[in-house]
Amino acid sequence: MRIVSGSAKGRALAGPKPTSQHIRPTADRVRETIFNVLGQFLDGQRVLDLYAGTGALGLEALSRGAGAVVLVDQDREAQALCKQNTQALGFSAQVELLSQPVVRGLDTLGRRGDRFELIFADPPYAARVVETVLEAVMAAKVLSPGGMLVVEHDKREEAPESHAGLTREDQRRFGDTLVSFYRAP
């Protein structure tokens, strides 16, 4: 795994152990397509990466000009990988790591009044929580008006065209993976 573009282009990211069953990093080509859809550069945006895993999506956003990223993951291996990758890329001053389950992390961020222009969610495919994520993000009021929520999920899990006030603007398929792009009103 590598950072695809931006200031850290080509830099390697540490990945999970081969025996890890909890972390499934987003493939480089999927990340590249996601950012092609979003636009190449993020001009100081605040980004939230839910189920962060290795931190690849959030760190890619920083490489492409995001101003700050919050990574949320409860798994200890994921937290260690996020810290390792953040430090290796020199992004420590721009990254906050919340070691909490996603719904609780959203609640924490919402109570603090944090808002994000871009949110990534890459939950475990078996969890089948696309609608839960959409609802939790909107309930916490962490997505800025007009902001984008990008959800990676299994192709067998249907992502609604609209839910909890969000509207799906785009969807891309990569083998067994779907990426759904939702816009806030």
Side-chain angles (χ1 to χ4, degrees), residues 129-135 151 153 157-171 178 180-183:
V129 294
V130 170
E131 289 185 10
T132 302
V133 168
L134 300 179
E135 290 167 7
V151 184
H153 55 98
E157 181 178 10
E158 187 159 335
E161 293 211 16
S162 62
H163 191 76
L166 294 162
T167 304
R168 191 177 74 209
E169 287 192 345
D170 200 346
Q171 190 173 66
L178 281 177
S180 298
F181 298 80
Y182 288 91
R183 177 80 62 191

Side-chain angles (χ1 to χ4, degrees), residues 17 26 30 59 72 76 84 101 104 119 124 133 144 150 168:
K17 298 173 187 162
T26 302
V30 175
L59 297 173
V72 180
R76 288 179 192 248
Q84 180 181 350
R104 191 169 55 177
I119 299 177
V133 168
S144 297
V150 180
R168 191 177 74 209

Side-chain angles (χ1 to χ4, degrees), residues 5 36 64 93 109 120 139:
S5 188
N36 285 341
R64 292 170 184 254
L109 294 166
F120 296 108

Side-chain angles (χ1 to χ4, degrees), residues 51-116:
Y51 307 95
T54 62
L57 285 166
L59 297 173
E60 183 77 38
L62 282 174
S63 180
R64 292 170 184 254
V69 172
V70 176
L71 306 173
V72 180
D73 206 304
Q74 69 180 355
D75 183 80
R76 288 179 192 248
E77 181 184 3
Q79 293 164 18
L81 286 168
C82 286
K83 285 179 187 172
Q84 180 181 350
N85 287 327
T86 297
Q87 290 170 352
L89 296 175
F91 290 148
S92 296
Q94 296 165 278
V95 174
E96 177 184 359
L97 176 60
L98 282 183
S99 303
Q100 298 179 342
V102 164
V103 173
R104 191 169 55 177
L106 285 167
D107 183 55
T108 297
L109 294 166
R111 281 187 283 108
R112 288 189 340 198
D114 286 358
R115 300 291 176 268
F116 302 90

